[in-house]
Amino acid sequence: MKTKGDREVTVIPIEITHDLNGPKRVYNLYIESNERVTVKFYKSLTSDGLKKQCFEELGCFSTTDFIEEIRDLLTSKKNLVDTVKAALTLKQILSICPMNPIHMNVSFILFTKQSNESQEFPYNADTETLKMSKFTPDKRTVFITHGYTDYYEECPSSGECAWMAKIKNYFLEYDYNVFAVDWRRPANSINYFNSAFNTQIVGAMVAYFIKTLINTFSVKTEDIQLMGHSLGAHVSGFAGKRFNETKIGLITGLDPAGPGFNYVRLAPSDANLVTAVHTSAGITKERDNPLESVQLFGFLGNTDPLAHFDFWPNSGNGQPGCEKISQEFLNEILSKGGGALKERASCDHSRAHELPTAEQALRQPDSCQMIGYQCDSYLEFKAGECLSEHCFDELGCFESGDFVIEQKKYFPLLEKAVNDMKDDESKLWNNQMMICPANPEHSDVQFMLFTPDSNQSVTFTYKPDPKVLNSTSFSPDRKTLFIVHGYVDGYKGCDDYGNCHWMEKIKNYFIAYDYNVVAVDWHKPAASLNYFYSAFNARIIGAMIANFIRRLVQVFGYKPSDIELMGHSLGGQIMGFVGKHFNETNNTIGFISGLDPAGPGFDTYSLEHTDADLVIAVHTSAGLLKAVDMSDLSSFNPLEVIQLQGYTGTVRNVGDFDLWVNGGNGQPGCETTSISFLKQAFAAGPGGLSDNMACSHMRATELPSAERVLREHRDEKDTCQWVAYECSNYIDFLHGQCYDCGQDGKKCKLLEYMPGYWLQPKNLVDIKKGFPQNLYLQTQATPPYCLYHYMIVLHTSEVKYVGRIKFTLNGRKKVEFEKPFELKSKDPNTYNFLYTDSHHLGQITEMTIEYHKTIVGSLVKYLQILRPMTFIQSMSANDITISAIDVIFMSHIDKSVRDSYSSQLIPNTKDISGKGFNFIINKDE
């Protein structure tokens, strides 16, 4: 015995060999004279050094295998620098000593949702003490364990909580018993390997404490979860290894430590389910910037698979915002000094313990989910080769690989730009960049049923209860309309001032015509900051609607052919996915109307004309450039060629016939690059700017309710109708090349949203044969948007000079307008001019035409002086000679009505006004 201060200590000589092949040295191990220690602390020595130490209740622990593992690791280095480092480290390794559990001061700190105060226990707390605690045996229990040089720290009165406190609060929200395992004393050894070895003893202490809980409260091991960071992950693994017959339920390793854990460590056999999240595993990473490919602190985490499921976020190292070798990092060191170095050194490693609380936010229905995909390598994952299917009961499976590749075509540099951001907000943007399937159970998609027999709606999930369906006023004898909104939208009804959302207006329209109506509200998945997240989930929403329809079929024997689907933007694409579910059964949906179906993300897999018996698409914001008639430069505004919102709608043919309203973009009243728009945007602020930007896209939602006004007067001969005409392109339509419905009437279609005529079986056959058919019409800026279309056909002798024509039409009222006159190579004896008016002009009975050459035309004429005979003839002849004019009324689907308002005009030989050429109706015709 020796005296150390006022204490007696026992001196025990222990032989330790620095080099197993070299001489032995004797060290004095000082152990405080303590009766409890002398009873429980035993030593077993051999000539090769310290082999084993045993502690009552916990068992024995050998350092030999651990030392041998580290020795092999370090002495395997070949170069001089590594050899020197290995020699220095070996000196530390050989000083490894198992700590006495009593002196570790490991605390088990209990938190429960029912108590505001924590309770602290030693690992060997007795049963009576535990019974007096706030522990609730019928709830799940989690143990959270920190890593090297860390400890449990409660939330400060102001400022951000430390990670263990955050995770503790996360589990408390879900009503867990939470134990924070604080083993700071052994975890803070200057010698990392000493702390690493002692994870075995701390793990045994955790297991001992759990077994006491089991004996005291009959807790089930499968209801226990262990979560540890770095060394704490291996503590959890060593705890799990001590349960052989009934295993721990779940172990989660947060970037399990690497050095010292090549063999004995966290393993899949340690629990029923073991997961590991690697965030600093490996010192190299594939990066565009070669400097950032070196991960200085990538050795902290373990590079080996350790679990049933090993997650490798961003390949397992080099987390976004944690770059160590970059100009930004160097600037931080200059401004912050060593603090910046320490913060960046642990950034990747610490990211693992930030993810659990990030997951808490992502549990919300409209949030992205952190989903890992099985893959052979990160490069293959980045290439989109490993994005597997996600399957949901009743809905089927969904594969996002092709969609992710398609997304990158639109914004090839966006992902890199987001990853290069270094501030905290970049974490949010990186999450938002993910394409994740929305869980149908958490998406809060609502199906609101309305019928003509009830003033109240009934709300269902996508799996409606048959008994509840039977109790509603749904009638299987009626047709049923499903309405679906698009991106960042939702069903909103009417406000206190009587202003109704477009879905409400359309619902009321169809209810008035004796339909069952189901409004589908999926606003949570539709509101993601990442449009492509919402776009991908259109597939899942479509499957949910299809499942609802199947319930109608099962409960009421309902025919899918009596179903009509109407969707705007992403909703239009959703309806295509609904229809695809019924194509497989040869029992197709009756009718789909796509209201400006969304474009981005739907280049290959989208709404198609085969998705229903009849599919129509109404395009209002398709294309970034508007087709403008360049022949009339006097009214040409170059700014209006650019359609800032033109990317929202698809430019593809997706219906049996596609109607391109005003060419499919740049709707009247929706100018986004004019001076008036800029003034309105400045006055209205961001909200007004957003509304104006979406104006053309939203015009598609306004047309159905506007049609209601027109339909109510449909039997009246003078009612305007949206008759669209087949044409090769919009410019040809504007130039009057497309005004004939054809002998069979198939070259024009009536834009309507209850298309009874076209749904007749005999007509459907012809429609399917005619795909694709592009149809054009013009509208005005205000409801009900309809314009009366007239085609004016001039029958002339050959005209040699360009000019302008002023038309004066006399019908129910007198109108005047001008049109450019261009020379034609094809059929130079007829010139067509399209004229539209918001008023019905009736039959045109008289017309006056004034022709004026442009400067170019006059110059061409007077250059004829170079040919004297031709010049004399041209000076004496009229610049234009018109033999007759046809005025063709276009705005009615009934040919007899069109004919009744059409007319042929002939020259008025009695006109002596001298003002142009006067024509009157040919009464003989």
Side-chain angles (χ1 to χ4, degrees):
M1 303 289 289
K2 287 190 177 182
T3 301
K4 189 177 181 181
D6 58 352
R7 296 174 296 167
E8 288 185 344
V9 297
T10 302
V11 181
I12 304 174
I14 298 179
E15 293 180 344
I16 297 181
T17 304
H18 277 273
D19 186 336
L20 297 183
N21 297 318
K24 297 180 175 62
R25 295 185 182 179
V26 177
Y27 287 78
N28 290 329
L29 177 63
Y30 292 89
I31 302 174
E32 291 185 338
S33 179
N34 181 297
E35 195 170 303
R36 187 171 185 179
V37 173
T38 54
V39 172
K40 298 185 177 181
F41 192 16
Y42 304 93
K43 281 75 51 186
S44 176
L45 302 176
T46 70
S47 60
D48 289 333
L50 185 61
K51 286 288 187 182
K52 184 187 297 183
Q53 292 196 15
C54 301
F55 304 101
E56 190 179 22
E57 303 169 338
L58 302 183
C60 298
F61 303 89
S62 171
T63 61
T64 301
D65 292 339
F66 185 79
I67 291 174
E68 187 68 21
E69 179 181 334
I70 304 306
R71 177 182 180 279
D72 290 345
L73 173 68
L74 294 172
T75 56
S76 63
K77 306 298 182 183
K78 301 300 182 183
N79 61 67
L80 179 62
V81 174
D82 287 339
T83 302
V84 172
K85 289 180 179 178
L88 293 173
T89 309
L90 274 172
K91 184 176 180 180
Q92 289 187 337
I93 293 172
L94 294 175
S95 66
I96 291 173
C97 180
M99 284 189 71
N100 184 344
I102 298 303
H103 296 160
M104 284 186 177
N105 294 333
V106 177
S107 297
F108 291 75
I109 310 168
L110 171 64
F111 305 88
T112 64
K113 191 172 185 178
Q114 290 71 32
S115 176
N116 294 325
E117 295 183 357
S118 63
Q119 296 172 284
E120 192 170 334
F121 305 93
Y123 83 93
N124 55 359
D126 58 65
T127 297
E128 293 303 318
T129 302
L130 289 175
K131 284 182 177 179
M132 297 173 61
S133 71
K134 302 294 185 181
F135 183 84
T136 309
D138 59 350
K139 294 188 169 76
R140 296 181 65 85
T141 301
V142 63
F143 288 79
I144 312 168
T145 309
H146 60 80
Y148 184 54
T149 68
D150 205 353
Y151 55 91
Y152 177 79
E153 183 180 9
E154 193 48 84
C155 295
S157 56
S158 61
E160 191 172 0
C161 296
W163 71 269
M164 290 183 76
K166 286 182 180 179
I167 295 178
K168 175 259 295 183
N169 293 334
Y170 172 30
F171 280 99
L172 287 180
E173 284 194 23
Y174 292 90
D175 206 15
Y176 274 63
N177 299 300
V178 180
F179 285 99
V181 181
D182 190 329
W183 62 296
R184 68 180 70 187
R185 186 173 180 185
N188 276 276
S189 173
I190 295 177
N191 178 3
Y192 160 82
F193 292 103
N194 201 33
S195 297
F197 174 77
N198 279 297
T199 58
Q200 299 181 36
I201 301 175
V202 178
M205 297 165 75
V206 173
Y208 187 87
F209 188 88
I210 292 172
K211 290 178 180 178
T212 305
L213 287 179
I214 293 172
N215 294 333
T216 304
F217 300 105
S218 299
V219 175
K220 297 179 181 178
T221 52
E222 58 264 30
D223 288 337
I224 292 175
Q225 177 177 351
L226 309 180
M227 177 180 287
H229 175 243
S230 188
L231 290 182
H234 297 295
V235 168
S236 301
F238 290 127
K241 295 180 197 302
R242 292 179 171 255
F243 294 86
N244 297 320
E245 296 180 1
T246 57
K247 292 182 179 293
I248 294 294
L250 169 65
I251 295 178
T252 303
L254 305 176
D255 204 30
F261 296 96
N262 289 345
Y263 305 114
V264 182
R265 57 189 178 180
L266 176 66
S269 59
D270 294 339
N272 289 330
L273 175 62
V274 179
T275 64
V277 182
H278 304 267
T279 57
S280 67
I283 59 174
T284 60
K285 181 181 177 68
E286 290 288 337
R287 297 299 294 263
D288 295 331
N289 181 350
L291 287 177
E292 294 181 2
S293 65
V294 179
Q295 302 298 312
L296 295 181
F297 298 92
F299 63 85
L300 297 178
N302 206 297
T303 58
D304 294 333
L306 304 174
H308 296 105
F309 304 133
D310 286 83
F311 295 89
W312 308 84
N314 304 294
S315 81
N317 62 10
Q319 302 306 315
C322 294
E323 291 76 10
K324 315 298 185 308
I325 304 180
S326 65
Q327 187 61 49
E328 290 82 0
F329 175 49
L330 297 177
N331 292 339
E332 284 184 29
I333 292 179
L334 292 175
S335 61
K336 298 181 182 179
L341 180 62
K342 180 180 179 182
E343 182 179 336
R344 284 296 184 99
S346 62
C347 181
D348 291 324
H349 197 41
S350 300
R351 181 63 55 85
H353 62 55
E354 295 172 6
L355 296 180
T357 47
E359 187 223 7
Q360 181 179 17
L362 299 179
R363 280 178 173 256
Q364 302 304 314
D366 56 342
S367 297
C368 189
Q369 296 174 320
M370 291 188 285
I371 297 175
Y373 294 81
Q374 183 174 350
C375 207
D376 291 335
S377 73
Y378 185 61
L379 291 179
E380 290 182 12
F381 172 78
K382 291 280 285 184
E385 298 176 9
C386 306
L387 302 181
S388 57
E389 290 186 330
H390 298 269
C391 300
F392 303 101
D393 291 341
E394 300 188 31
L395 301 185
C397 298
F398 304 87
E399 197 270 328
S400 60
D402 292 339
F403 187 84
V404 170
I405 295 172
E406 188 168 331
Q407 171 198 357
K408 292 179 180 178
K409 292 190 304 184
Y410 289 91
F411 304 105
L413 302 178
L414 179 60
E415 183 179 15
K416 182 181 184 303
V418 171
N419 286 338
D420 286 344
M421 290 192 292
K422 306 298 189 292
D423 54 29
D424 290 339
E425 291 183 2
S426 68
K427 299 173 187 177
L428 170 64
W429 282 103
N430 271 286
N431 287 336
Q432 291 295 339
M433 285 295 295
M434 297 173 68
I435 301 299
C436 312
N439 189 326
E441 301 299 329
H442 300 156
S443 296
D444 196 24
V445 178
Q446 296 183 328
F447 293 73
M448 291 164 280
L449 172 64
F450 303 87
T451 71
D453 300 327
S454 175
N455 294 324
Q456 300 295 324
S457 65
V458 182
T459 301
F460 298 92
T461 68
Y462 74 99
K463 297 186 289 188
D465 187 323
K467 293 181 180 179
V468 179
L469 272 177
N470 260 318
S471 68
T472 67
S473 54
F474 179 91
S475 172
D477 298 326
R478 300 187 182 105
K479 286 195 171 186
T480 301
L481 173 73
F482 284 76
I483 320 170
V484 183
H485 60 82
Y487 183 53
V488 295
D489 202 355
Y491 179 81
K492 299 180 179 68
C494 299
D495 62 22
D496 294 337
Y497 301 97
N499 300 310
C500 295
H501 185 256
W502 67 268
M503 293 179 73
E504 177 74 7
K505 291 180 182 178
I506 294 175
K507 179 263 291 183
N508 292 337
Y509 173 21
F510 280 77
I511 288 289
Y513 283 82
D514 203 33
Y515 273 68
N516 305 302
V517 178
V518 179
V520 181
D521 188 329
W522 64 293
H523 71 274
K524 289 188 176 180
S528 172
L529 289 175
N530 180 3
Y531 160 84
F532 291 98
Y533 167 85
S534 301
F536 173 74
N537 279 296
R539 294 157 169 75
I540 296 177
I541 306 302
M544 296 168 75
I545 296 173
N547 193 72
F548 190 96
I549 293 173
R550 290 192 193 98
R551 290 289 174 94
L552 295 180
V553 173
Q554 294 166 3
V555 174
F556 299 105
Y558 202 75
K559 295 183 295 184
S561 58
D562 284 337
I563 297 285
E564 298 182 8
L565 309 176
M566 180 183 293
H568 173 242
S569 186
L570 286 182
Q573 298 292 354
I574 284 172
M575 292 319 197
F577 295 125
V578 177
K580 295 180 200 306
H581 282 268
F582 292 89
N583 289 345
E584 300 168 359
T585 63
N586 294 318
N587 197 4
T588 54
I589 295 294
F591 175 48
I592 294 177
S593 52
L595 309 179
D596 204 30
F602 299 96
D603 291 343
T604 55
Y605 190 52
S606 70
L607 175 66
E608 299 173 279
H609 74 106
T610 55
D611 292 335
D613 291 337
L614 173 63
V615 179
I616 68 168
V618 181
H619 303 271
T620 58
S621 68
L624 291 170
L625 299 178
K626 182 172 177 61
V628 178
D629 186 0
M630 298 290 291
S631 65
D632 191 4
L633 295 177
S634 63
S635 60
F636 171 63
N637 180 358
L639 290 176
E640 293 180 7
V641 174
I642 302 172
Q643 298 297 311
L644 297 181
Q645 81 290 359
Y647 63 87
T648 50
T650 183
V651 297
R652 299 174 61 239
N653 287 101
V654 294
D656 290 301
F657 45 88
D658 291 75
L659 297 106
W660 306 88
V661 181
N662 300 293
N665 61 13
Q667 302 306 311
C670 295
E671 292 75 14
T672 56
T673 48
S674 63
I675 297 299
S676 61
F677 164 71
L678 296 176
K679 289 180 179 178
Q680 291 173 10
F682 181 78
L689 177 63
S690 176
D691 290 343
N692 276 281
M693 288 292 291
C695 179
S696 288
H697 194 42
M698 296 305 296
R699 180 62 53 84
T701 66
E702 298 168 10
L703 296 178
S705 51
E707 185 210 25
R708 179 181 184 180
V709 177
L710 302 176
R711 183 177 288 272
E712 289 173 352
H713 302 280
R714 189 169 186 170
D715 294 336
E716 300 173 15
K717 184 179 177 181
D718 289 351
T719 299
C720 186
Q721 291 186 351
W722 288 324
V723 181
Y725 287 78
E726 181 179 342
C727 207
S728 58
N729 58 67
Y730 187 53
I731 295 300
D732 282 354
F733 177 75
L734 293 178
H735 285 177
Q737 302 305 306
C738 311
Y739 60 89
D740 184 10
C741 288
Q743 291 184 349
D744 55 5
K746 294 177 182 177
K747 288 187 177 182
C748 63
K749 298 288 192 299
L750 180 63
L751 171 54
E752 57 178 350
Y753 299 92
M754 298 179 190
Y757 175 80
W758 298 112
L759 284 172
Q760 296 175 19
K762 62 177 182 179
N763 295 324
L764 284 173
V765 174
D766 292 334
I767 287 174
K768 294 297 181 185
K769 289 180 179 178
F771 172 83
Q773 185 177 31
N774 292 305
L775 301 155
Y776 297 88
L777 77 160
Q778 287 190 304
T779 64
Q780 59 179 314
T782 56
Y785 302 109
C786 195
L787 285 173
Y788 293 92
H789 290 53
Y790 292 84
M791 185 61 59
I792 300 171
V793 182
L794 304 185
H795 298 274
T796 73
S797 59
E798 184 176 357
V799 182
K800 298 182 179 180
Y801 315 114
V802 295
R804 294 187 66 81
I805 294 183
K806 179 181 179 182
F807 295 87
T808 303
L809 278 59
N810 282 314
R812 293 179 180 174
K813 70 170 188 173
K814 181 179 180 180
V815 296
E816 294 181 351
F817 59 93
E818 286 192 9
K819 291 283 187 178
F821 191 95
E822 291 188 316
L823 303 182
K824 297 193 307 179
S825 58
K826 293 184 178 179
D827 192 9
N829 299 120
T830 60
Y831 287 85
N832 299 353
F833 301 88
L834 176 66
Y835 174 70
T836 59
D837 201 293
S838 58
H839 296 90
H840 198 319
L841 302 181
Q843 187 181 48
I844 305 301
T845 58
E846 184 181 6
M847 185 183 304
T848 299
I849 290 180
E850 298 178 45
Y851 173 78
H852 303 283
K853 295 185 296 295
T854 62
I855 294 176
V856 174
S858 298
L859 181 61
V860 171
K861 180 174 182 177
Y862 287 106
L863 283 176
Q864 300 297 322
I865 195 171
L866 299 176
R867 294 185 294 172
M869 295 302 298
T870 304
F871 176 70
I872 293 172
Q873 292 175 359
S874 66
M875 294 300 293
S876 61
N878 291 325
D879 292 331
I880 184 171
T881 300
I882 303 173
S883 59
I885 301 175
D886 292 329
V887 182
I888 302 169
F889 181 69
M890 302 170 61
S891 295
H892 207 284
I893 197 66
D894 189 329
K895 184 178 184 302
S896 64
V897 176
R898 294 198 305 273
D899 289 345
S900 68
Y901 287 120
S902 299
S903 58
Q904 185 181 68
L905 305 178
I906 57 176
N908 182 6
T909 57
K910 298 180 180 180
D911 177 52
I912 57 174
S913 65
K915 294 183 178 180
F917 305 93
N918 184 256
F919 297 83
I920 57 175
I921 191 168
N922 184 354
K923 295 183 178 179
D924 294 337
E925 288 293 326

